[in-house]
Amino acid sequence: MELMRILERVAFVPQRKQLYGWATPAELVRMNKAYFPRWSDDAAARLAQRLEIPMKMTFKKLSIGNQSKVALLLALAQGAEVLIWTSPPPGLIP
């Protein structure tokens, strides 16, 4: 149980994004939110708009930069207290 409480508080964005290539970012949001009790649909919508993510294009057709944005959106919308991000792509972090 302690491990589950820790995992609920930590979000991870890997350098290599391995998400379902056939799914759109909108579908990935729907699939992921069921696993995170602190998930925020409002945060996901704001991030999608702010990061200009094409939510209806399949993940495999997105540019590497947009794939990174999707992974970041999924991590931040979890409502985690800690974000671990390996190698953020240039242009996303000022």
Side-chain angles (χ1 to χ4, degrees):
M1 281 310 225
E2 183 65 24
L3 177 60
M4 290 305 293
R5 287 198 299 265
I6 292 169
L7 292 175
E8 287 176 358
R9 299 172 63 196
V10 178
F12 178 70
V13 181
Q15 181 175 4
R16 186 169 179 216
K17 296 11 168 218
Q18 295 190 351
L19 297 171
Y20 297 108
W22 51 263
T24 65
E27 291 167 329
L28 292 168
V29 164
R30 281 193 299 277
M31 286 188 274
N32 277 270
K33 74 181 191 174
Y35 295 101
F36 301 100
R38 297 180 187 189
W39 183 272
S40 170
D41 283 331
D42 290 336
R46 282 193 311 273
L47 286 163
Q49 183 176 19
R50 184 170 183 166
L51 296 173
E52 300 177 351
I53 299 171
M55 297 298 284
K56 295 181 179 180
M57 185 180 291
T58 60
F59 186 78
K60 68 182 172 191
K61 291 184 180 177
L62 295 173
S63 67
I64 292 172
N66 278 332
Q67 289 180 1
S68 294
K69 290 177 185 181
V70 171
L72 179 61
L73 177 154
L74 295 174
L76 293 176
Q78 292 177 27
E81 298 171 26
V82 176
L83 175 66
I84 300 171
W85 192 1
T86 62
S87 302
L92 285 185
I93 302 297

